[in-house]
Amino acid sequence: DHRFGRLRRRVGTTFGQSLLAIFRRGALSQDDWDELEETLLMADVGAATTDELLADLKARLKAEPDGDPRALLRAALLDVVDPSLDRSLALGAPGDGELHSAVVVGVNGVGKTTTVGKLARVLVAEDRTVVLGAADTFRAAAADQLETWGARVGVPVVRAHVDGADPASVAYEAADRARTDEAEVLLVDTAGRLQNKQGLMDELGKIVRVVSKVSPPQEVLLVLDATTGQNGLTQARVFGQVAPLTGVVLTKLDGTAKGGIVLAVQRELGVPVKFVGLGEGADDLAPFDPAGFVDSLLG
Ligand code: GDP
């Protein structure tokens, strides 16, 4: 994807390029391995994934002492991002005549509302009819923001009529509207106040249940901010308790050179990164392409 190329230009030296520079030194000393480890940890790859990656690299070097460093690294990194995972949106096929739904969850400020708008844009480009539900009723501005996206993309937005309305009732209304309109996809934006974990989980659980009455969500997408590093993994575990996560959208990858969080999310959660956010604009959402990503890291 050419957009990963743009990412590379924006962030300058990636951790992949740093790894490659160390690798090219040839016979690696313990200091070199320590430096590799430090580079991975600094890039938010996370301790567990770093250990696995280093073990994998050692094994590869042992098997192929004269192997091309770039090829060895590329293979090891690709192993972590696992190109075999299905990264398509499980929202049926255009024109299949059914309503499919997705609930988008994540902590406030990670880019949920923006992602819902961008996803709507992607779906509309596939000629699908979409309804958006603004179930983040905690923050009035969130519904306004979603309405702006709806107008921009040309899809209806169902929002609360009063402040502090029940998020689940808004989600239900949106699902009902989608059914009445014979829309193909319902995307539900949710609130993400992590301060009250139990309250949040109850609220999200209720949203998933009421939407299920109309169309069981085939996608529960977790939005993570790439710049928050390992915190994202902790968040992911909390949200994963509400409903099985089906995919991750990693936002703000344009704002960090620490792309390592992609590896950590992938390995430690076992949930595929399906899309990445590369900016604030409507077209700044790219399907995650494992090989393109690894190549962009290695430069
Ligand atoms: P929410 O609270 O999770 O719904 O977050 P918002 O959708 O309101 O986004 C928070 C801020 O992050 C906004 O200023 C967005 O424009 C910005 N944002 C969202 N996605 C991206 C991205 O991929 N890259 C960049 N640079 N900014 C983003």
Side-chain angles (χ1 to χ4, degrees):
D1 191 305
H2 65 282
R3 282 176 283 198
F4 283 112
R6 195 177 69 195
L7 172 68
R8 180 168 71 220
R9 283 195 298 281
R10 276 197 206 159
V11 299
T13 308
T14 62
F15 75 87
Q17 287 162 281
S18 307
L19 295 181
L20 191 53
I22 301 169
F23 239 68
R24 287 210 166 111
R25 292 174 193 163
L28 300 181
S29 66
Q30 186 54 46
D31 280 353
D32 294 325
W33 283 105
D34 290 347
E35 204 178 327
L36 284 170
E37 179 175 20
E38 197 177 317
T39 304
L40 289 166
L41 291 174
M42 295 272 290
D44 287 334
V45 173
T49 307
T50 292
D51 285 349
E52 279 184 43
L53 195 55
L54 290 176
D56 186 8
L57 283 170
K58 277 186 182 148
R60 282 175 196 277
L61 266 182
K62 204 168 168 192
E64 255 184 283
D66 299 320
D68 169 38
R70 191 181 190 283
L72 283 174
L73 256 180
R74 186 175 189 277
L77 291 170
L78 264 181
D79 251 9
V80 180
V81 291
D82 196 353
S84 71
L85 292 175
D86 183 5
R87 293 187 158 81
S88 59
L89 282 178
L91 295 174
D96 66 8
E98 280 175 46
L99 174 61
H100 305 274
S101 67
V103 176
V104 180
V105 302
V107 172
N108 280 344
V110 293
K112 263 189 320 287
T113 305
T114 307
T115 298
V116 170
K118 290 171 174 175
L119 282 172
R121 167 95 152 200
V122 168
L123 292 161
V124 165
E126 291 173 359
D127 270 338
R128 309 195 79 186
T129 48
V130 179
V131 169
L132 302 181
D136 180 354
T137 58
F138 185 72
R139 210 164 51 93
D144 295 343
Q145 201 185 327
L146 199 64
E147 264 184 344
T148 304
W149 274 103
R152 188 184 295 170
V153 178
V155 303
V157 177
V158 175
R159 64 177 294 172
H161 308 294
V162 291
D163 276 354
D166 175 21
S169 71
V170 176
Y172 184 77
E173 233 180 276
D176 199 41
R177 166 77 183 269
R179 178 170 55 188
T180 309
D181 283 7
E182 295 182 5
E184 297 173 81
V185 181
L186 166 71
L187 299 177
V188 180
D189 188 20
T190 64
R193 286 156 292 136
L194 209 50
Q195 296 89 317
N196 177 356
K197 227 185 260 182
Q198 195 54 48
L200 175 66
M201 309 257 289
D202 292 348
E203 181 177 307
L204 291 176
K206 201 166 153 199
I207 288 173
V208 170
R209 279 199 304 282
V210 300
V211 170
S212 296
K213 289 184 186 168
V214 178
S215 161
Q218 288 96 336
E219 290 278 5
V220 178
L221 296 171
L222 175 71
V223 180
L224 289 180
D225 176 341
T227 65
T228 62
Q230 293 292 309
N231 272 340
L233 289 180
T234 313
Q235 293 167 17
R237 293 195 183 97
V238 172
F239 283 98
Q241 289 165 28
V242 176
L245 303 173
T246 57
V248 169
V249 179
L250 202 60
T251 60
K252 310 187 195 182
L253 208 54
D254 53 305
T256 173
K258 300 183 170 188
I261 192 67
V262 173
L263 306 185
V265 164
Q266 194 70 68
R267 188 65 140 219
E268 290 176 38
L269 300 179
V271 178
V273 174
K274 292 195 168 178
F275 285 91
V276 292
L278 298 170
E280 298 186 83
D283 294 317
D284 292 330
L285 185 75
F288 179 63
D289 160 22
F293 175 72
V294 168
D295 287 336
S296 77
L297 284 181
L298 293 174

